[in-house]
Amino acid sequence: MNSRIFYTKPSITEKEVAYATDAARNGWGDHCYEYIYRFEEAFCRHLGVKYAIATSSATGALHMGLAALGIGREDEVIMADTNWIASAAPIVHLGASPVFIDILSDSWCIDPALIEAAITPRTKAILAVHLYGNLCKMDQLMAIGRKYGIPVIEDAAEALGSVYHGKCAGSMATFGAFSFHGTKTITTGEGGIFVTNDADLYQRVLTLSNHGRARGSSKQFWAEMIGFKYKMSNIQAAIGCAQVERIDELTRRKREIFAYYKDRLSSLPGLSMNPEPENTINGAWMPTVVCSPETGITRERLQAAFAAEEIDARVFFWPLSSLPFFQPVSTNTCAYDIPGRAINLPSFHDISDNDLDRVVKVLSSLWHKG
Ligand SMILES: *Cc1c(COP(=O)(O)O)cnc(C)c1O
C-alpha cells in the first residue's frame, strides 16, 4: 500500500532542533534578539544585499515596504494577474489598487511588453513576482522603472535559489520580500524578510516595523508614526539560522527534484515545465507542468488522476482578477487559460525516488490513455 505523498513539507534536522532549543532555553533578556540579528546578517550575505529585516511573513514585509515607499489611497501598483493573493492584499490594505496585466506563456511571470500601456499618473510601483522560482525579465522591468521613475519591487517568496544574470532573485529591485512559510524552500514555520540596498528605505521600514519607534531611540515608548507589528521571534529566527546554514543543500535538492521530473517528463508531447533561460538559475521551488490544449488534458483530469494515487498536487494559481472582490480582466488570456491545464507537483526535500516515480507514472499514464 502506497502512503500519501504531500506536495511540500520542511526539511528539519538536528541542527534546527538544537538552535530552537537553545533559543527557547537561553534566548531571553539580553539575548532576545541574537538569533534575529544573526539570521538577518546570514541572509544578507547569502543574497548579496546590504540590509534585511526579519518579519512574521512575506505579506508583512511587502506591506511595510510599500508603506515606506509612500503608497496609499488612489495609487496603483502594476502586477501580473497570475499570483498568490498575498502579493496583492497589502496593496489593497494601503488603499491602493493592484492593476493586473497578463503573464508570459512560458515563464508565467509578468509580461514586460504590457506594462507601459498600463502606466498612469497614479502608478507608484511595479511588483515583479518570480512565480514558482521562474524569473521575471528583470532587465526590462528595471528599464521601464527607470524610464518612468517608478520603483520596481521583487516578491521573491518563491524564488530562493533563483539567480538572474549573476544576481540573486530579490536583490535587484528597490526592495525584495521573501517568505519562510512551511511550504517554502527554507522555513521558520511562519516568517519572512524584507531586503534592500537603500539605507534610507531600510531605516524607514525598521522604524515602521517597530510600531513607529526608531531603533536606538533613547526615549522609551515613543512612537514617531503609526507603524506595524510584523516581527519575527527569536525562536523562529533560530530555526532560520539553521536553515540558512543549509541553504545551498536545500536549494540544490529542489533543483535535483526538478531535474528528475524534467528528465522523465519532457518527452511527453505538449508538456512544458518551468523554464530556465540562458544566464539564469531556476531555484525550482515548485515544479509545474502545463499541458498544451492539443493534449486535451485538463486540471480536473490531472487532479483526479493524482487523487486516485494518494498524491497531493496543487492547482496553478487562479487569476487574481477572477476572485470575487476584484474586477475580471478577461483580456489577460494566458492568466485565464493556463490554470485550466496545469498542475504543481510534489517537491519536498525528503521525497524519495520511488515517490517521484509514482508522480511520473501518473502523468505518463494520462498521455498513454490519449
Ligand atoms: C508564500 C507567498 C507569499 C506570502 O508569504 P507569507 O509569508 O505567507 O506572507 C507572498 N508572495 C508569494 C509569491 C508567495 O508564494
Side-chain angles (χ1 to χ4, degrees), residues 9 56 64 73 84 97 110 112 139 216 256 262 287 317 365 369:
K9 61 184 171 190
S56 51
M64 291 194 294
R73 235 172 278 283
W84 173 225
S97 304
I110 192 165
D139 282 350
E256 204 174 85
K262 196 161 178 171
F317 290 130
S365 70
K369 266 182 218 147

Side-chain angles (χ1 to χ4, degrees), residues 171-316:
S171 72
M172 292 169 271
T174 298
F175 74 83
F178 287 85
S179 172
F180 308 121
H181 180 255
T183 56
K184 300 288 160 65
T185 296
I186 74 169
T187 192
T188 58
E190 291 279 0
I193 205 160
F194 166 93
V195 296
T196 187
N197 286 312
D198 179 328
D200 289 339
L201 184 63
Y202 168 67
Q203 286 302 333
R204 289 205 297 282
V205 174
L206 199 57
T207 300
L208 279 175
S209 75
N210 195 18
H211 272 315
R213 296 175 299 162
R215 192 180 279 185
S217 162
S218 54
K219 208 164 163 184
Q220 209 179 14
F221 297 131
W222 186 258
E224 288 161 35
M225 61 186 86
I226 287 287
F228 296 93
K229 185 66 193 301
Y230 285 137
K231 289 175 152 191
M232 179 182 281
S233 77
N234 200 52
I235 298 177
Q236 288 170 299
I239 297 174
C241 284
Q243 294 263 290
V244 172
E245 285 179 26
R246 298 177 53 223
I247 206 161
D248 291 339
E249 168 206 336
L250 293 171
T251 52
R252 200 181 321 117
R253 179 62 185 145
K254 278 287 191 180
R255 284 177 55 72
E256 204 174 85
I257 292 165
F258 177 73
Y260 194 98
Y261 282 136
K262 196 161 178 171
D263 277 356
R264 287 154 184 81
L265 295 171
S266 56
S267 60
L268 296 174
L271 176 145
S272 51
M273 296 187 73
N274 313 51
E276 191 171 56
E278 211 171 310
N279 209 1
T280 68
I281 298 172
N282 193 316
W285 172 62
M286 187 64 74
T288 299
V289 300
V290 177
C291 308
S292 72
E294 296 72 47
T295 61
I297 296 172
T298 60
R299 165 181 55 215
E300 288 69 26
R301 277 182 67 197
L302 289 159
Q303 283 183 287
F306 281 113
E309 295 299 321
E310 295 276 307
I311 297 169
D312 290 347
R314 305 194 331 170
V315 302
F316 196 93

Side-chain angles (χ1 to χ4, degrees), residues 32-158:
C32 74
Y33 298 118
E34 277 175 7
Y35 278 111
I36 297 173
Y37 295 157
R38 193 169 134 191
F39 180 60
E40 290 172 345
E41 278 164 29
F43 200 79
C44 279
R45 228 176 302 125
H46 166 77
L47 214 63
V49 294
K50 289 194 187 133
Y51 310 105
I53 301 169
T55 58
S56 51
S57 67
T59 311
L62 285 168
H63 197 176
M64 291 194 294
L66 291 162
L69 290 178
I71 291 167
R73 235 172 278 283
E74 317 274 295
D75 291 339
E76 294 172 354
V77 177
I78 295 172
M79 61 186 289
D81 205 344
T82 300
N83 256 310
W84 173 225
I85 187 65
S87 308
I91 299 168
V92 177
H93 286 315
L94 289 167
S97 304
V99 174
F100 299 119
I101 67 173
D102 208 2
I103 52 170
L104 293 164
S105 60
D106 56 350
S107 70
W108 323 314
C109 291
I110 192 165
D111 183 347
L114 302 173
I115 293 177
E116 287 190 76
I119 292 176
T120 75
R122 292 178 172 175
T123 307
K124 292 292 152 57
I126 298 164
L127 180 58
V129 184
H130 304 297
L131 205 83
Y132 301 143
N134 305 350
L135 286 150
C136 293
K137 294 204 180 307
M138 288 307 292
D139 282 350
Q140 291 175 48
L141 300 187
M142 298 300 284
I144 295 167
R146 270 193 303 277
K147 179 171 168 192
Y148 291 88
I150 298 167
V152 177
I153 298 162
E154 286 177 277
D155 179 342
E158 305 183 357

